[in-house]
Amino acid sequence: MAGKLTTAESFKIYEDGKHRRYGLLFGVNGGAFAVAKLFTDPDAVSLLGNLNLSQLAIGMIIFSIVMTADIYMFGQKMRETYLPGAFGPQGKAVLISIGLLICVGWFLVA
């Protein structure tokens, strides 16, 4: 199948896949941030059950590491299989920087 795709088709698959993965990473982290803000409201704490802020932060660190690894593996596979010029050193540096910043932020929360 790799030989049957045009460069434009391969690039579209790459961009769509990358967009979905980054969207998931940022969407889940944004949702968790909204949940974390509930810990500041004494009335809303009862909605969170037995969850505490440290548990949420640790869970988000794990999720962010897994998602960063998934995005990296996806980009690397696309580079090796379809688009040799895609996901170069600058893309890898941006991804790793974003993943580290998110994890450090949650680590500080924990």
Side-chain angles (χ1 to χ4, degrees), residues 37-59:
K37 287 192 66 110
L38 291 175
F39 285 100
T40 62
D41 182 4
D43 297 330
V45 173
S46 63
L47 297 172
L48 301 170
N50 292 329
L51 182 68
N52 65 47
L53 192 53
S54 293
Q55 292 169 331
L56 175 66
I58 291 168

Side-chain angles (χ1 to χ4, degrees), residues 6 16 28 60-61 68-69 74 86 94 96 110:
T6 66
D16 288 347
V28 171
M60 290 313 302
I61 290 169
T68 301
F74 171 76
V94 167
I96 291 168

